[in-house]
Amino acid sequence: SRIGEALRDSTERTSKEKSARVAEVLDEVGLSAAFATRFPHQLSGGQRQRVAIAIALLNNPDLIIADEPTKDLDVTLQSQILYEVQTLARVPGTAVIWLTHDLTALAEIY
């Protein structure tokens, strides 16, 4: 899949393992596995934003720098993304730097 190309250890994983990991992170951001093969021009703005977040989560990073990650998302999706970020921030070894002008979203995180 296109998103699977961002996997750091992609040569060490089978195609099935890559697809499973991509499906997992897409599900975390509220998208189906079918989005793994779509091109950016086939996605809405909110979908593109969620795919970008999924790509950031693919490799279980130690640090995530999130610059306005919930901008232009509806309230329901924004809450889902905020929940996922809170969950990530609790994982030992993962730090999140959240950059935003949205004080309401920031208040939900802390």
Side-chain angles (χ1 to χ4, degrees), residues 11-108:
T11 58
E12 299 171 13
R13 294 183 187 213
T14 66
S15 185
K16 191 173 185 177
E17 290 171 329
K18 288 180 204 176
S19 294
R21 178 64 184 145
V22 169
E24 179 183 340
V25 295
L26 285 172
D27 183 59
E28 287 177 12
V29 297
L31 296 173
S32 72
F35 283 84
T37 57
R38 294 193 184 164
F39 289 98
H41 71 275
Q42 297 172 314
L43 306 174
S44 70
Q47 290 168 339
R48 280 192 296 264
Q49 200 161 2
R50 288 183 277 166
V51 167
I53 292 168
I55 290 170
L57 301 176
L58 260 180
N59 293 303
N60 299 314
D62 295 333
L63 173 66
I64 297 172
I65 301 173
D67 186 6
E68 299 284 357
T70 58
K71 184 180 179 185
D72 300 329
L73 298 179
D74 63 60
V75 176
T76 304
L77 185 55
Q78 184 179 35
S79 293
Q80 184 178 357
I81 297 299
L82 290 169
Y83 174 79
E84 292 301 331
V85 169
Q86 287 173 320
T87 302
L88 279 172
R90 291 185 186 106
V91 173
T94 302
V96 178
I97 297 174
W98 189 274
L99 306 171
T100 187
H101 290 93
D102 185 352
L103 298 180
T104 305
L106 191 60
E108 282 191 48

